Amino acid sequence: MEHLALTQGRHGQFLYNLHDRFVGRSLAFYGEWSESEVALFRQILRPGDVVVEAGSNIGSHTVFLSRAVEEKGRVYAFEAARHTHQLLCANLALNECFNAVPMHKAVGRAAGQIEFPLFDPRQDANFGEASVRYAQSAPHKELVELQSIDALNLDRLDFIKSDIEGYEGEMLQGAQATISRCRPVIYLEIDCANGQPSGNRDELVSFLQAQNYVCQYYISPMFNAENFHGQTENIMHAVSVDMICVPVEKAVVDGLTRAEVGDDAIEIAPGQLKYTALPWNQARFRYLEGSH
């Protein structure tokens, strides 16, 4: 294989693209990807939970999610980038994630088709930044199926994890009925593609506050000093800017900073970030008594 390699990681075996500057590079060097996020997911997930992961990439978190919910749980793993989705399927098979449902689709407001970037897997790139938002300027693209979370018609949904490069607002709009019915815990990336100092934070917080959710910042490093391969060098030099959002009647997260429309806790732009939010590793998630 000229552009693919296999590595043993913390959560299993992973086939990755040698040209991937972020997820693949991290898996190869550290044996894991953004493990500080997994530290939070570990507190949230329970056996039997149903999960929707929007933007699964090659499955570096999907494999963990699959194992955390165990055999009776289910993970719906959406990945719109064709070649990335191929690796996702390979990694779910390699790690025997029989409860995972990989879907080559974008997640949005309604059913249809939408243009999506088509990266050449033989060229260096950050394959995880492929997004509906960047399709118009992409040199190569293709039509992919677009689906809403509501169209899954789930009787149960416990957790939504989304990293879809600024398309989170569209995803939430297409999940409104499911959110109202199932009251899942929601983990969202904050994206700076709109050029605003707080990115799409206000859009996401405004929507979820109207659904009686509390949103809190979870800003975590991509370098883990206790990584699986024991590497001491920080080659990532980046953090993940996210929010953990919980229904007020279901759960509480202690130790984090609440996100509000118009707050000054974050200032983000491509390549730079300023924030005053409390550290990620103080987060303590707990379900309220009688909520499950």
Side-chain angles (χ1 to χ4, degrees):
M1 293 182 291
E2 295 183 357
H3 69 281
L4 299 177
L6 186 67
T7 187
Q8 178 63 46
R10 182 185 297 274
H11 301 293
Q13 293 185 81
F14 290 93
L15 191 67
Y16 68 95
N17 191 321
L18 291 162
H19 298 290
D20 185 4
R21 298 190 191 114
F22 277 83
V23 176
R25 187 181 184 206
S26 181
L27 283 169
F29 196 68
Y30 297 124
E32 59 190 43
W33 162 252
S34 201
E35 189 67 19
S36 53
E37 295 183 79
V38 175
L40 179 63
F41 306 155
R42 200 182 300 276
Q43 297 182 51
I44 296 168
L45 293 170
R46 306 154 297 180
D49 277 355
V50 177
V51 176
V52 167
E53 184 184 32
S56 294
N57 203 277
I58 67 170
S60 50
H61 285 165
T62 321
V63 171
F64 167 80
L65 298 173
S66 168
R67 290 179 173 163
V69 303
E70 298 184 0
E71 186 174 353
K72 292 184 178 179
R74 184 64 60 93
V75 179
Y76 295 92
F78 287 84
E79 177 52 55
R82 175 155 51 97
H83 300 120
T84 304
H85 178 261
Q86 291 170 354
L87 289 175
L88 167 66
C89 293
N91 288 326
L92 294 177
L94 278 170
N95 292 287
E96 300 185 343
C97 296
F98 302 129
N99 62 353
V101 183
M103 308 180 82
H104 181 213
K105 299 178 181 180
V107 187
R109 187 188 300 253
Q113 288 188 316
I114 198 163
E115 286 188 332
F116 201 84
L118 182 63
F119 289 178
D120 186 341
R122 297 158 296 190
Q123 301 295 321
D124 288 354
N126 173 12
F127 296 99
E129 72 177 1
S131 167
V132 170
R133 287 202 169 187
Y134 303 133
Q136 189 172 6
S137 60
H140 304 285
K141 49 203 161 194
E142 64 181 355
L143 285 175
V144 300
E145 188 174 346
L146 181 67
Q147 179 176 329
S148 70
I149 290 175
D150 284 344
L152 292 170
N153 294 314
L154 298 173
D155 294 326
R156 173 177 179 177
L157 179 59
D158 302 284
F159 185 51
I160 297 173
K161 171 188 173 279
S162 179
D163 182 354
I164 48 178
E165 306 298 311
Y167 212 61
E168 281 76 11
E170 293 287 320
M171 180 204 71
L172 290 175
Q173 291 289 339
Q176 193 156 0
T178 306
I179 290 169
S180 177
R181 182 175 65 251
C182 300
R183 309 298 285 163
V185 174
I186 303 174
Y187 185 80
L188 299 168
E189 182 189 43
I190 299 174
D191 185 85
C192 62
N194 63 9
Q196 298 299 314
S198 56
N200 61 350
R201 187 267 325 271
D202 287 356
E203 173 191 8
L204 305 180
V205 171
S206 178
F207 177 92
L208 286 169
Q209 283 185 346
Q211 311 300 315
N212 214 19
Y213 274 68
V214 171
C215 302
Q216 291 165 279
Y217 293 109
Y218 193 79
I219 302 175
S220 55
M222 292 182 183
F223 170 68
N224 170 26
E226 299 178 356
N227 63 81
F228 182 71
H229 286 167
Q231 299 286 356
T232 58
E233 182 185 358
N234 182 359
I235 63 170
M236 303 307 293
H237 301 291
V239 298
S240 184
V241 184
D242 302 281
M243 293 188 298
I244 179 66
C245 310
V246 299
V248 296
E249 78 281 0
K250 189 171 186 177
V252 172
V253 187
D254 297 316
L256 296 179
T257 300
R258 184 162 176 163
E260 300 279 5
V261 173
D263 75 44
D264 60 359
I266 61 170
E267 184 178 337
I268 56 178
Q272 63 183 22
L273 166 70
K274 298 178 182 178
Y275 65 94
T276 57
L278 291 169
W280 66 276
N281 55 7
Q282 293 185 10
R284 298 296 180 266
F285 179 96
R286 57 188 172 90
Y287 285 103
L288 298 176
E289 187 175 352
S291 66
H292 64 284

